[in-house]
Amino acid sequence: MPLTEKLLILAIAAQVLLTLGILIWLGFERVPRVARGEIAVKDIAADRAAYPLRARLLSNSFDNQFQLPVLFYVAALLALWSGGAGWAEVVLAWLFVALRYAHAAVHVISNRVYRRFALYTAGLVVLALLWVWLVLRLIILAPSI
């Protein structure tokens, strides 16, 4: 397997690790509070308002990992499937993942909305570039695929 494909798989794994890490942190924020009776199950059955701010921020960040990253996973898998994942895909993938880590950190630590929005937008731009490159490479530059 070429190095570029290994690096692309590692970018996918890093994004998965971020998602799982947020989920585990969320569990440490939520489960003990419910287990100790600080939060009644009936109060969280329909929404998250009963949880403290940190748990709500983690929950929102976790949910956010199923928005843009879904399009990232599809793009990365398409690049791998095509058998021609190159350095452009690797660089864009890792840049996207780095921006997702930064976005998640801002989301759950300071929750500075403008900074978070800037990081989200930067990730969106990188993801769009990845998709534009993939379409160009797979459809226009190599139409035999």
Side-chain angles (χ1 to χ4, degrees), residues 40-98:
V41 173
K42 69 176 180 62
D43 293 338
I44 56 170
D47 66 40
R48 305 170 194 163
Y51 283 116
L53 180 61
R54 171 80 60 214
R56 292 193 317 267
L57 291 173
L58 283 162
S59 183
N60 291 343
S61 185
F62 179 72
D63 290 349
N64 198 258
Q65 301 313 313
F66 297 95
Q67 295 171 7
L68 290 183
V70 171
L71 299 174
F72 163 72
Y73 293 131
V74 173
L77 292 173
L78 180 60
L80 289 168
W81 169 82
S82 71
W87 287 106
E89 288 94 343
V90 169
V91 169
L92 290 169
W94 275 104
L95 184 54
F96 175 77
V97 171

